[in-house]
Amino acid sequence: MKVDKLKLRQAVDSLYSIGPASQESYTRLVLECFGANDADQAKRLQSHMDAYSYRPADSFIHNRLLHLYAKSGQIPSARQLFDKMPHRDIFSWNAMLSLYAKSGCVDDLQGTFDRMPSRDSVSYNTVISGLAGRGCASKALSAFVKMQREGVVPTGYTVVSVVNACTQLLDLRRGKQIHGRIIVRGFGGNPFISNALTDMYAKCGEIAVARWLFDRMTNKNLVSWNSMISGYLKNGQADKCIELVGEMELSGLKPDQVTLSNILTAYFRNGCLEQAGKLFRKISEKDKVCWTTMIVGYTQNGKEEEALMLFKEMTLANVKPDTHTISSVVSCCSKLASLNHGQVVHGKAFVVGVDDDLLVSSALVDMYCKCGVTRDASSLFTMMSARNVVSWNSMICGYAQNGQDSDALALFEIMLVEKELKPDHITFVSVLSACIHAGLVEEGKRYFGSMSGIHGLSPTLDHYACMVNLLGRSGSIDEAVELISSMPHKPDSLIWSSLLNVCATKGNIKYGEMAARKLFELDPLNAGPYILLSNMYASDGRWKDVAALRSLMKTNNVKKFAAYSWVDINNEVHKFVANDRSHVDSIAIYEELNDLIKKVQEVGYKPNTNLVLHDVGEQEKLESISYHSEKLALAFMLMKRPHEAMPVRILKNLRVCGDCHAFMKFASKVTGRTIVLRDSNRFHHFVGGKCSCNDHW
């Protein structure tokens, strides 16, 4: 080919030295350019013809040049030639359609098609497949309707594109109509059409019909098997998916990357993480989709650490991640509240060039918020070139969870003023949460009423739970109970948990017992309601009732979950439970904590032993409350990072108790360190003896 192109260039060079050429010479050279796929020499040849005002007698030469430009993606050259062609026929127009379809220029494709003086099956096939392939399924189907009106007979190629368009739209009714025409026209034996129909029925939820078609195919190929396998996966039948892969291998076909990605996903959906890992390790050539499938699978199954390790392996293997990969890894960092990992992944997103992608940037905003760094989240949010409702929700929720309630509500008002996007149900959960944390009862009522009154949204159980929480925290528990009784929905465990929590905070045993009993019925194995009600009884000195509840828990085999806290140092997680002495640095940790306790007591801290809800002596209560998991985690971090200016970051699986909350305020004052504690409810930023939650936790 190199020799042919060299000779071709020399032939065009000689043409420039001898002047105008004959039609035979121009035709021969154009065909040679077309055969060698050499658009550069074709343009030189066209320039030579223009220089000598050569006008072909027909459109043959120009059509060959157009097709060559179309194959090479040379849009300006093709458009310039097409506009000045003295003779255009159907082939000229079709060449332009092909160029625009391949280049994804949907508007130019549609505009050129509409201007055509006449159209043939090639014209329709090109525009229908081009539109369907670029996500314009409705326009593709409109073109198909026009094709039938003009009496142009569709080909098998047309039918495949039209069925694919129905699949994109999940338009089963239209798809069945086209299936009927396929049978009438005798296209049933076409493997491409059979594959397209199988895929359509599977994706539209008619999995039994898809399997019926699949079983009757006599010439199944890899696409056929993958369509059926992915169909089972999409319809929640992971077992069938795994089973079919086995049948495929018995038929003699080897799985490709699409098959492997599907079976990995099926394993994860069935909770078979070990099998997924073994299969993944056996794959010799792993593509980006395979790596991403594993990362997403681990993330969705609570294996965030494994997902992060796998992402590190992926980068070491020089496999370039895409937006889906990066956003999934950022989600891992969010769940772990791992700021260090999140910053590293943010850097990788920047290097790869996907940091400005809407999916990635929204995930990064959420990650920084969940790591308690709202300043960085806000900077990212401000710089985003485009935002969706997820972006707004992440930032509003982030402010609310980090004690910046006024910022959350202010941002929501900006969202309403800009009118770019409408708030959704999740937006209002965040807004109502901000009202809860700030104790803004009237504002919360107003926002709750505006959902249906202004924004056309029907409040869900999540929103009613927020209102129960808001009313209960303000002391209006009777009003909260009235709201529950007037709800259009049947109260679920979230509603009763919200009521029980506020009753526990306010010491309202009457309604607390009612809520707890409802929860015993709805979720009998959940230890939370038993523990909360037991604590309420203990606070009231009703030790017989405490004993009765514990006996009921034992009878019902209800397991109490342990409270624990964890910290991250140099990407290594250290976990603590109350009175824990299993850590390798346990002796030093307790010495550090005891020293800190003395310092905070000197500036006014007094252990609140009333929060120890056991019938034991005062000394036992003092020892019990002094060594809670978050206090041990704090002592460990201060010991390991004594002179660092960065905030101390602690995470806890349950809500922080009142004594630990008070302790952290005093600790931030005596150490001069910012302490960021994320519990199961929200972030607490302790700075100089104060907390961001203003004690509304």
Side-chain angles (χ1 to χ4, degrees):
M1 184 62 70
K2 287 183 179 179
V3 175
D4 291 341
K5 284 195 173 186
L6 177 62
K7 288 182 178 179
L8 178 60
R9 182 174 63 80
Q10 290 173 344
V12 176
D13 287 344
S14 64
L15 197 64
Y16 270 88
S17 63
I18 62 175
S22 65
Q23 178 162 336
E24 181 182 354
S25 298
Y26 281 132
T27 302
R28 177 177 54 81
L29 286 172
V30 166
L31 289 174
E32 287 183 10
C33 289
F34 189 84
N37 197 27
D38 194 334
D40 291 334
Q41 296 308 317
K43 283 190 275 188
R44 291 185 64 210
L45 191 60
Q46 182 189 333
S47 297
H48 188 274
M49 289 187 284
D50 291 342
Y52 289 97
S53 302
Y54 173 74
R55 295 288 180 271
D58 55 31
S59 60
F60 179 82
I61 288 178
H62 283 162
N63 283 346
R64 283 293 165 273
L65 288 173
L66 279 178
H67 280 288
L68 176 55
Y69 294 150
K71 279 202 303 179
S72 307
Q74 303 274 350
I75 295 178
S77 299
R79 187 177 285 156
Q80 182 186 41
L81 174 60
F82 182 79
D83 288 343
K84 65 182 181 182
M85 281 176 64
H87 308 290
R88 295 181 194 144
D89 55 20
I90 190 72
F91 301 104
S92 316
W93 287 93
N94 285 345
M96 293 304 293
L97 289 178
S98 176
L99 172 63
Y100 290 137
K102 288 177 181 176
S103 304
C105 302
V106 174
D107 291 339
D108 289 322
L109 174 65
Q110 185 75 62
T112 302
F113 178 77
D114 291 340
R115 294 197 310 272
M116 290 179 71
S118 63
R119 307 173 185 88
D120 60 7
S121 62
V122 175
S123 316
Y124 276 104
N125 286 343
T126 303
V127 77
I128 291 170
S129 64
L131 291 170
R134 294 291 170 173
C136 301
S138 296
K139 291 182 177 180
L141 292 177
S142 296
F144 179 63
V145 171
K146 192 170 187 177
M147 179 183 193
Q148 293 174 302
R149 285 175 181 167
E150 291 187 2
V152 180
V153 178
T155 65
Y157 188 75
T158 320
V159 172
V160 170
S161 298
V162 172
V163 172
N164 288 338
C166 293
T167 305
Q168 287 180 38
L169 297 170
L170 299 179
D171 191 342
L172 184 61
R173 183 187 61 81
R174 185 87 64 95
K176 286 181 176 180
Q177 290 176 352
I178 293 167
H179 188 184
R181 294 181 184 181
I182 289 170
I183 295 171
V184 170
R185 290 190 175 275
F187 285 136
N190 186 316
F192 299 103
I193 295 176
S194 298
N195 288 342
L197 285 169
T198 301
D199 187 53
M200 181 200 70
Y201 280 111
K203 286 180 178 171
C204 290
E206 296 275 356
I207 193 67
V209 178
R211 184 59 192 258
W212 186 87
L213 284 168
F214 175 79
D215 287 340
R216 279 151 185 77
M217 290 173 63
T218 56
N219 46 2
K220 299 183 186 75
N221 56 21
L222 197 55
V223 175
S224 317
W225 287 93
N226 282 340
S227 294
M228 198 64 234
I229 289 165
S230 64
Y232 276 130
L233 198 59
K234 184 175 180 63
N235 284 271
Q237 299 183 34
D239 289 335
K240 288 278 189 182
C241 171
I242 295 168
E243 180 184 312
L244 197 61
V245 171
E247 291 181 28
M248 172 184 161
E249 290 177 322
L250 288 174
S251 75
L253 281 173
K254 290 184 178 180
D256 65 359
Q257 296 287 356
V258 175
T259 323
L260 292 169
S261 177
N262 281 327
I263 192 170
L264 285 172
T265 303
Y267 279 139
F268 280 120
R269 296 229 179 126
N270 273 4
C272 304
L273 276 64
E274 187 176 346
Q275 290 93 321
K278 286 180 180 178
L279 175 61
F280 180 74
R281 296 301 171 192
K282 287 179 182 177
I283 301 171
S284 55
E285 294 183 10
K286 305 176 182 72
D287 68 355
K288 178 168 50 184
V289 176
C290 259
W291 285 98
T292 303
T293 301
M294 286 297 294
I295 290 168
V296 171
Y298 278 136
T299 303
Q300 292 175 343
N301 283 272
K303 299 289 184 181
E304 288 83 10
E305 293 89 347
E306 287 85 345
L308 290 175
M309 289 174 62
L310 208 59
F311 180 66
K312 184 177 180 181
E313 286 184 43
M314 180 182 181
T315 55
L316 290 173
N318 292 321
V319 179
K320 185 179 178 181
D322 61 10
T323 56
H324 191 46
T325 321
I326 293 289
S327 62
S328 298
V329 178
V330 173
S331 176
C332 285
C333 300
S334 298
K335 291 180 179 179
L336 293 171
S338 177
L339 181 60
N340 292 336
H341 280 112
Q343 289 171 328
V344 170
V345 179
H346 188 180
K348 184 67 177 178
F350 180 79
V351 171
V352 175
V354 298
D355 57 307
D356 195 42
D357 176 83
L358 183 57
L359 184 66
V360 173
S361 54
S362 296
L364 285 168
V365 169
D366 183 62
M367 182 272 295
Y368 280 115
C369 286
K370 285 193 167 69
C371 289
V373 192
T374 53
R375 180 182 295 177
D376 289 350
S378 178
S379 297
L380 265 175
F381 179 80
T382 303
M383 292 188 296
M384 288 175 70
S385 55
R387 303 186 190 103
N388 58 13
V389 71
V390 175
S391 320
W392 285 91
N393 288 347
S394 295
M395 198 65 243
I396 293 169
C397 181
Y399 278 141
Q401 288 182 332
N402 283 275
Q404 297 173 252
D405 308 306
S406 58
D407 291 322
L409 298 178
L411 187 61
F412 175 64
E413 293 296 340
I414 292 172
M415 181 184 187
L416 297 180
V417 169
E418 291 190 0
K419 295 181 180 179
E420 290 180 8
L421 294 162
K422 292 182 178 180
D424 63 7
H425 289 90
I426 296 173
T427 318
F428 277 99
V429 170
S430 299
V431 169
L432 293 174
S433 296
C435 293
I436 292 169
H437 296 148
L440 302 173
V441 180
E442 294 305 317
E443 288 83 348
K445 289 180 178 179
R446 178 169 59 83
Y447 285 127
F448 182 75
S450 73
M451 287 185 65
S452 55
I454 298 176
H455 302 287
L457 297 171
S458 298
T460 66
L461 286 166
D462 288 332
H463 304 107
Y464 279 101
C466 287
M467 290 306 296
V468 169
N469 207 331
L470 178 61
L471 293 169
R473 283 176 181 239
S474 70
S476 304
I477 296 182
D478 288 333
E479 190 177 347
V481 173
E482 287 176 14
L483 180 65
I484 293 173
S485 64
S486 66
M487 279 169 36
H489 312 283
K490 183 178 179 180
D492 65 354
S493 57
L494 178 63
I495 296 294
W496 294 119
S497 294
S498 299
L499 180 61
L500 180 57
N501 282 323
V502 295
C503 287
T505 302
K506 298 298 181 179
N508 190 314
I509 295 180
K510 174 188 172 183
Y511 287 130
E513 287 178 326
M514 179 183 76
R517 289 192 183 104
K518 294 288 186 181
L519 289 165
F520 295 161
E521 295 173 8
L522 290 168
D523 194 1
L525 296 180
N526 183 3
Y530 293 90
I531 294 168
L532 273 176
L533 185 57
S534 176
N535 291 348
M536 292 171 71
Y537 286 148
S539 297
D540 202 39
R542 294 167 56 173
W543 299 110
K544 287 184 179 180
D545 290 324
V546 171
L549 265 182
R550 288 177 181 169
S551 176
L552 182 61
M553 287 180 69
K554 189 174 182 180
T555 301
N556 293 342
N557 197 28
V558 178
K559 303 296 183 183
K560 182 180 178 181
F561 41 83
Y564 60 88
S565 300
W566 70 98
V567 292
D568 184 342
I569 291 185
N570 299 326
N571 295 327
E572 184 179 353
V573 174
H574 297 260
K575 185 177 174 181
F576 301 90
V577 296
N579 295 289
D580 182 19
R581 296 182 186 272
S582 62
H583 196 280
V584 65
D585 295 321
S586 180
I587 295 174
I589 291 169
Y590 275 81
E591 288 179 356
E592 180 79 23
L593 179 53
N594 287 328
D595 184 54
L596 180 59
I597 290 172
K598 290 178 183 177
K599 290 179 181 178
V600 296
Q601 284 178 329
E602 290 173 359
V603 294
Y605 165 70
K606 293 180 181 179
N608 188 355
T609 55
N610 291 329
L611 296 173
V612 180
L613 303 172
H614 299 284
D615 193 11
V616 296
E618 191 65 23
Q619 184 59 36
E620 288 90 339
K621 288 184 177 182
L622 184 61
E623 290 180 1
S624 173
I625 205 164
S626 295
Y627 304 119
H628 280 187
S629 62
E630 53 266 59
K631 291 173 183 168
L632 293 171
L634 173 62
F636 175 72
M637 289 295 285
L638 293 175
M639 183 181 75
K640 290 294 185 180
R641 302 278 177 83
H643 305 298
E644 204 171 272
M646 296 295 290
V648 174
R649 299 182 181 278
I650 304 169
L651 296 97
K652 187 176 181 180
N653 67 323
L654 301 179
R655 290 183 71 177
V656 59
C657 77
D659 180 74
C660 286
H661 190 270
F663 181 87
M664 293 293 172
K665 289 199 292 185
F666 281 103
S668 70
K669 184 176 182 179
V670 300
T671 62
R673 300 285 293 275
T674 296
I675 302 169
V676 181
L677 170 62
R678 192 188 83 174
D679 67 8
S680 61
N681 190 46
R682 64 179 301 171
F683 275 93
H684 301 268
H685 296 255
F686 300 96
V687 183
K690 296 181 180 180
C691 180
S692 59
C693 75
N694 293 318
D695 295 339
H696 290 292
W697 87 99

